[in-house]
């Protein structure tokens, strides 16, 4: 029994670590692919606009020259240049279409990779939970501890992934955010790890330039304010931003002013 527990613990730890690293890499890859796709779409838009301009110029020349029959040599050369430019645009649009299809296929593959990694981690977690249930007779506290650890590890990874996507964080930033979430939730703030993660994301959106310590302190202040007076985190962080901009105060001081004002 002890050997099985150690094996499952090792497997769960390894899979969770691999899932975290793999998911972060897949999210970054997905972000890069979407950036490329947006650039290609912009190129398509630009090329279409250019082609429409060439077509209008060509139509105007044709109308002015009786469909080219009365055109001068210079006008014929200009029409040929416009036709060549339109043909070039058509070729470019064809290459962009091929590139879009490639990128869309890669995006689907990246999404599938994230799903498969999640399924792998879930399978290991499920085994761990079943093992906890199996040893319940030998000690309810042990089984409960195993189940709690698995649940919290899974919830933490989900919270970090959501925050990474919401803020566009790098792998290094995601690791620091994990520490912030752990610190805030460990201090008794927030209803859940996901709640804390969402609050950190809102703080980051509204109060961008905060170091790790400030981010932790301000998130705790925002959650304390919400708990005491019902102020939404997004609402209080916007108010704090206004105070910081108008009165040149720190984020911590801004929350102190808001808290004092709420107390009346």
């Amino acid at each position: 029994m002890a050997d099985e527990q150690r094996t499952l613990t090792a497997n769960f730890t390894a899979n969770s670590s691999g899932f975290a690293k793999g998911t972060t890499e897949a999210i970054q890859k997905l972000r890069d692919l979407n950036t490329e796709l947006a650039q290609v779409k912009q190129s398509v838009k630009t090329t279409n606009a250019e082609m429409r301009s060439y077509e209008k110029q060509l139509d105007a020349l044709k109308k002015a020259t009786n469909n080219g029959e009365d055109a001068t040599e210079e006008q014929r050369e200009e029409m040929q240049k416009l036709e060549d430019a339109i043909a070039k645009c058509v070729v470019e649009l064809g290459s962009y279409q091929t590139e879009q299809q490639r990128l869309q296929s890669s995006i689907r593959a990246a999404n599938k990779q994230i799903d498969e990694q999640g399924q792998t981690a879930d399978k290991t977690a499920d085994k761990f939970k079943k093992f906890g249930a199996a040893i319940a007779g030998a000690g309810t506290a042990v089984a409960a501890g195993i189940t709690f650890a698995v649940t919290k590890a899974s919830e933490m990874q989900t919270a970090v992934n959501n925050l990474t996507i919401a803020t566009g964080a790098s792998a290094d930033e995601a690791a620091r955010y994990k520490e912030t979430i752990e610190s805030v939730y460990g201090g008794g703030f927030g209803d859940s790890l996901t709640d804390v993660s969402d609050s950190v994301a809102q703080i980051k959106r509204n109060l961008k330039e905060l170091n790790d310590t400030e981010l932790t302190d301000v998130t705790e202040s925002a959650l304390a304010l919400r708990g005491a007076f019902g102020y939404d985190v997004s609402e209080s962080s916007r108010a704090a931003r206004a105070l910081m901009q108008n009165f040149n105060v720190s984020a911590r001081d801004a929350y102190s002013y808001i808290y004092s004002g709420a107390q009346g």
Side-chain angles (χ1 to χ4, degrees):
M1 188 73 73
D3 289 341
E4 184 179 357
Q5 181 179 351
R6 280 193 293 271
T7 300
L8 285 170
T9 301
N11 287 342
F12 180 72
T13 301
N15 284 336
S16 295
S17 176
F19 175 61
K21 182 175 183 296
T23 302
T24 300
E25 291 174 350
I27 288 171
Q28 184 59 52
K29 181 179 180 181
L30 198 57
R31 188 177 295 121
D32 292 342
L33 288 169
N34 277 307
T35 298
E36 288 184 55
L37 184 59
Q39 291 171 344
V40 171
K41 287 181 177 179
Q42 182 58 47
S43 296
V44 169
K45 185 177 179 180
T46 301
T47 302
N48 269 319
E50 290 176 355
M51 188 167 70
R52 285 194 296 270
S53 175
Y54 296 145
E55 288 171 341
K56 287 181 180 179
Q57 293 176 57
L58 183 60
D59 287 343
L61 269 174
K62 286 182 176 180
K63 287 180 181 179
T65 61
N66 190 24
N67 204 29
E69 292 184 10
D70 300 331
T72 64
E73 185 64 27
E74 184 179 354
Q75 287 172 323
R76 288 194 184 91
E77 289 179 0
E78 182 62 23
M79 283 191 287
Q80 184 60 55
K81 288 179 181 178
L82 290 169
E83 288 173 351
D84 291 344
I86 291 169
K88 182 181 177 183
C89 287
V90 170
V91 172
E92 287 180 357
L93 288 171
S95 67
Y96 290 145
Q97 182 178 12
T98 300
E99 183 65 6
Q100 281 191 61
Q101 291 171 346
R102 182 190 71 79
L103 289 168
Q104 287 165 345
S105 176
S106 297
I107 287 170
R108 286 193 295 271
N111 277 315
K112 183 180 179 183
Q113 180 184 354
I114 293 173
D115 289 340
E116 288 175 348
Q117 288 168 339
Q119 290 169 10
T120 299
D122 287 343
K123 286 178 183 177
T124 306
D126 185 56
K127 290 180 181 178
F128 217 69
K129 289 175 183 176
K130 288 178 180 177
F131 178 74
I135 66 169
T140 303
V142 175
I146 290 173
T147 302
F148 178 82
V150 170
T151 301
K152 285 303 174 186
S154 178
E155 185 183 349
M156 172 58 81
Q157 190 56 57
T158 299
V160 173
N161 288 344
N162 290 342
L163 182 54
T164 300
I165 294 171
T167 60
S170 65
D172 289 342
E173 289 172 328
R176 299 207 316 271
Y177 288 156
K178 180 176 182 292
E179 294 179 0
T180 297
I181 294 170
E182 288 175 339
S183 178
V184 173
Y185 187 70
F189 298 92
D191 298 329
S192 65
L193 291 169
T194 301
D195 179 38
V196 172
S197 170
D198 291 342
S199 299
V200 172
Q202 290 171 353
I203 295 291
K204 283 293 295 181
R205 276 195 292 269
N206 291 325
L207 307 176
K208 301 181 185 301
E209 300 302 326
L210 298 177
N211 61 39
D212 294 348
T213 302
E214 289 172 331
L215 181 59
T216 299
D217 291 345
V218 169
T219 303
E220 290 177 350
S221 296
L223 289 170
L225 191 64
R226 186 187 69 182
F229 302 103
Y231 281 30
D232 181 75
V233 172
S234 181
E235 176 188 359
S236 68
S237 59
R238 285 197 298 270
R241 180 180 62 195
L243 287 169
M244 292 166 67
Q245 291 173 343
N246 294 327
F247 298 100
N248 194 29
V249 297
S250 69
R252 290 191 186 97
D253 288 342
Y255 264 96
S256 294
Y257 295 150
I258 295 171
Y259 200 90
S260 297
Q263 287 180 308

